[in-house]
Amino acid sequence: MKIETTETHQTFVQRGFRFGLLSCGAFLVVMTIGCTGSIAGDPNGGPPSGSGNTSGGGGGNTITPPPPGTDVGRVEIHRLNNLEYANTIRDLVGVEANTANFNSSDGKGDGFDNIASEFGVTDEQYASYFNSAVDISDRVFADMTASARILSCTPTGATDTACIKSIIQTWGLKAWRRPIKDNEITDLTKLATDAITAGETGAGGVKQIVKSMLASPNFLFRIEYDPDPASNKAHQLDPYELASRLSYLHWSTMPDQTLFDLAANGKIMNDDTILAQVDRMLADARGQLFIQRFGGQWLGMETLLTHQVEPTAFPTFDEPLRQAMYKEGLLYFQEFLLGSGKMKDFFTTKVNFVNARLAKIYGVSGITSDQPTRLNNMAANRVGFMGLAGFLTQSSYAYRTTPTLRGKWVLENLLCQEIPQPPNDVPKLDPETPAGMMMGQSENVRIRLEAHRADPKCAACHAVLDPIGLGLETFDAIGQYRQKYLNGDTIDPAGVYDGKNFTGLDTLATMLSDPSSKYVEQLTDCATKKLLTYSLSRTLDATDPFIKSIGFAWGGGSMKDLLKKVVLSSPFRFRHGEP
């Protein structure tokens, strides 16, 4: 049986998790606790009292509701992905989780690995999470330092319910990322007292609570409550739900104590508080996870980590070079998030981050460190994101450049244009043989593509895809600058795109960044769409009104400016049920 995350919250609770009771009957109470009641906001089954507060408690800004008639959308109940699970376990109990044993993988939607619709759970997968909860609990209570995170007191016996309830209310709030409700406290307390009565120590009784809570959907899933699950009327997230959205967006983990405190006093609902938390979380060392997960996935640097390069074609490519390219790509993104870079200059900024290994590819002398060095105006022939070796490598074949794929990548990922799939009967440009690949390495790709476009079935798409990629042909399949193909032909990177002439990377980048062109609006909308998608953990249609209403000013804004607009937006702070 598979739990489909397209089900309503109510159905999910009433039907979906029953498989857990059947599969793990010996631990029946695990699934009973946290699944009793309704997902709607009733006293025993809904969110904690005070959720849905729209006053912006603690003083400060009053939250502006979404404009009438706009759809803020909804995020389905979804399982923590493997990274989020591991990070949350580490921050909650101080031990490492072994996600390699999970029968689950992080599926991707719209290029990101946190899209809710990709994260249901099967019976077999739940068994892995159940076993992990048992293993983690055993290791935590065998480690005095780890167990001290939980045991703020140690029950003296089955009658010491005050201590047990205190642990549930304090540590349990962190585990389930919200206050624990009265009926849940009662059930969990009974679990511990029954264990102690049966011969467990006081700490052993608490250990049963920890097992139960870590195996519960309230821990494994990110659940947001709707006062009326059948209504499409927008309502505000409660403070704890907002804290979780912020923490998993920036850190891929649970809220820290600061966020929990701000949720408890309601101040997290204020605009100024949210903006201050964005600054704080990005400045924290864990803020690198936002750069790696969002920036790395959006800009293809994660793809670079597994991209194959043919060693006979490029014998100088090795793992240290791959890592240097990867780090440069992330640092380039960071320049526009935390540095002085403005998004309008994303294609044209002449900034590189080069270590000794990457310097050889770039033809730069004097770099001896293994750590990246920031260089301005490094080379006359390189400019902006499209001049990065990491981008040029991951958008190539293993054995040669592919202008079509490079152009397609830019159009789809940076301009969010929809490119149709090629017909099934289109002949391949290169024969899939060693001889064919060797031919592809040496011949003039421009001439071969011109012959390919002679086929009417290929012409329309290639006329759109090829020009951008051909403008990058002076860079080979691992990003090295070149002026000739191996057959001796001089490379011509000039072309015409959308009626405008360019002579190579520099003029192509300037054309795409021209404030008077349509591309600035496309770049703005695409960056907004990508960040909204990642921030909301759901895919968005290109016509979603909030892409425009975010109001990001491409002309002078940084990625952090855009991020702040996203976290203050209605779809990030509101949701609705599913009629």
Side-chain angles (χ1 to χ4, degrees):
M1 174 182 174
K2 180 180 180 180
I3 295 177
E4 298 293 346
T5 55
T6 54
E7 294 180 314
T8 65
H9 286 53
Q10 183 75 23
T11 305
F12 184 91
V13 170
Q14 292 183 339
R15 183 178 71 80
F17 270 106
R18 288 180 186 164
F19 83 91
L21 305 183
L22 299 175
S23 303
C24 304
F27 207 51
L28 177 65
V29 72
V30 167
M31 303 311 296
T32 304
I33 295 173
C35 283
T36 54
S38 166
I39 290 294
D42 64 82
N44 288 320
S49 60
S51 64
N53 167 32
T54 58
S55 65
N61 311 89
T62 299
I63 294 176
T64 303
T70 56
D71 183 3
V72 297
R74 61 187 298 276
V75 180
E76 300 169 11
I77 296 172
H78 60 298
R79 171 173 54 83
L80 300 178
N81 68 26
N82 287 349
L83 176 68
E84 292 168 339
Y85 179 92
N87 288 346
T88 303
I89 288 292
R90 178 203 63 212
D91 293 343
L92 180 65
V93 295
V95 302
E96 298 298 321
N98 184 9
T99 59
N101 295 329
F102 288 178
N103 294 306
S104 59
S105 59
D106 291 348
K108 285 193 174 183
D110 206 12
F112 298 112
D113 66 359
N114 68 339
I115 303 302
S117 59
E118 301 295 319
F119 288 93
V121 77
T122 65
D123 193 351
E124 183 182 15
Q125 287 169 345
Y126 176 71
S128 297
Y129 288 111
F130 175 83
N131 292 335
S132 178
V134 174
D135 171 65
I136 290 167
S137 300
D138 288 344
R139 286 191 285 130
V140 166
F141 281 85
D143 182 331
M144 292 184 61
T145 300
S147 61
R149 290 174 175 243
I150 301 167
L151 294 171
S152 54
C153 59
T154 301
T156 56
T159 60
D160 191 2
T161 57
C163 174
I164 296 171
K165 290 180 179 179
S166 174
I167 292 171
I168 294 169
Q169 290 171 324
T170 53
W171 180 83
L173 178 148
K174 296 178 180 178
W176 285 359
R177 304 177 289 277
R178 60 165 175 81
I180 310 301
K181 299 184 286 291
D182 290 344
N183 65 311
E184 295 167 338
I185 293 173
T186 298
D187 290 340
L188 287 164
T189 300
K190 186 175 187 303
L191 178 64
T193 57
D194 285 352
I196 295 170
T197 300
E200 284 280 6
T201 63
V206 175
K207 180 180 175 180
Q208 299 308 311
I209 293 174
V210 173
K211 288 181 184 179
S212 173
M213 298 193 82
L214 294 183
S216 165
N218 289 288
F219 174 78
L220 297 174
F221 284 74
R222 291 173 59 186
I223 302 173
E224 295 170 350
Y225 293 87
D226 297 310
D228 181 357
S231 172
N232 62 0
K233 181 180 179 181
H235 67 89
Q236 193 174 326
L237 297 179
D238 79 32
Y240 290 92
E241 292 167 349
L242 183 56
S244 282
R245 282 204 180 187
L246 287 168
S247 65
Y248 283 100
L249 166 59
H250 292 89
W251 292 341
S252 297
T253 190
M254 60 181 281
D256 66 354
Q257 191 59 52
T258 297
L259 288 172
F260 278 128
D261 290 344
L262 291 171
N265 62 28
K267 290 183 179 179
I268 200 169
M269 310 300 277
N270 300 335
D271 291 2
D272 292 344
T273 301
I274 292 176
L275 296 180
Q277 290 308 301
V278 171
D279 288 332
R280 180 182 73 90
M281 287 187 282
L282 289 178
D284 188 281
R286 288 171 291 182
Q288 286 295 310
L289 281 170
F290 175 77
I291 295 170
Q292 294 169 16
R293 306 311 298 160
F294 173 67
Q297 291 180 85
W298 175 32
L299 300 180
M301 293 304 110
E302 187 176 82
T303 302
L304 174 67
L305 293 176
T306 56
H307 178 75
Q308 297 298 308
V309 174
E310 173 55 45
T312 59
F314 300 99
T316 60
F317 188 87
D318 55 17
E319 192 58 30
L321 178 58
R322 183 198 304 276
Q323 290 299 320
M325 291 178 178
Y326 172 73
K327 291 177 181 178
E328 182 185 38
L330 297 184
L331 287 168
Y332 190 83
F333 174 77
Q334 182 174 295
E335 180 76 7
F336 294 86
L337 178 73
L338 303 177
S340 59
K342 304 298 182 185
M343 288 305 295
K344 69 180 180 64
D345 302 319
F346 194 73
F347 285 133
T348 57
T349 293
K350 292 178 71 67
V351 173
N352 289 86
F353 299 87
V354 182
N355 71 356
R357 187 67 189 83
L358 190 54
K360 295 179 181 179
I361 293 295
Y362 286 157
V364 177
S365 60
I367 304 295
T368 58
S369 173
D370 290 335
Q371 299 304 311
T373 299
R374 186 182 189 279
L375 299 178
N376 292 315
N377 302 306
M378 179 184 70
N381 51 41
R382 285 187 196 272
V383 59
F385 175 76
M386 293 188 295
L388 298 183
F391 159 71
L392 294 163
T393 300
Q394 64 92 7
S395 59
S396 296
Y397 286 160
Y399 56 93
R400 70 161 173 87
T401 60
T402 169
T404 302
L405 289 187
R406 282 179 174 175
K408 183 175 184 287
W409 195 96
V410 170
L411 292 172
E412 287 186 332
N413 291 279
L414 299 179
L415 299 176
C416 286
Q417 293 185 13
E418 294 186 11
I419 308 299
Q421 293 297 315
N424 294 327
D425 57 348
V426 172
K428 294 185 180 296
L429 196 62
D430 298 338
E432 292 183 345
T433 64
M437 288 191 291
M438 289 302 295
M439 178 181 67
Q441 292 171 28
S442 62
E443 290 193 348
N444 188 321
V445 177
R446 179 183 285 272
I447 292 175
R448 299 185 72 204
L449 283 172
E450 286 174 354
H452 197 60
R453 288 196 297 272
D455 187 333
K457 291 180 295 187
C458 306
C461 283
H462 279 271
V464 175
L465 300 175
D466 293 352
I468 289 177
L470 287 170
L472 306 176
E473 269 296 278
T474 47
F475 303 96
D476 69 14
I478 59 171
Q480 298 175 113
Y481 182 74
R482 60 186 180 174
Q483 294 180 308
K484 295 179 181 293
Y485 290 108
L486 293 180
N487 67 356
D489 286 358
T490 298
I491 295 173
D492 177 13
V496 180
Y497 184 71
D498 202 22
K500 295 185 177 182
N501 296 311
F502 61 86
T503 58
L505 172 58
D506 55 346
T507 53
L508 173 62
T510 300
M511 181 192 77
L512 292 175
S513 300
D514 183 353
S516 65
S517 75
K518 67 180 181 182
Y519 305 115
V520 169
E521 182 178 7
Q522 291 178 7
L523 288 165
T524 302
D525 289 350
C526 190
T528 303
K529 179 179 182 290
K530 293 292 185 181
L531 186 53
L532 268 173
T533 296
Y534 184 80
S535 301
L536 299 175
S537 298
R538 64 177 176 87
T539 58
L540 284 85
D541 187 271
T543 60
D544 190 293
F546 287 104
I547 294 174
K548 295 285 189 184
S549 68
I550 290 294
F552 177 56
W554 187 271
S558 67
M559 179 55 67
K560 185 194 278 191
D561 295 328
L562 176 56
L563 177 60
K564 288 183 174 182
K565 286 181 177 293
V566 165
V567 298
L568 293 181
S569 68
S570 294
F572 191 82
R573 301 167 78 175
F574 288 79
R575 62 171 285 130
H576 61 65
E578 183 180 21

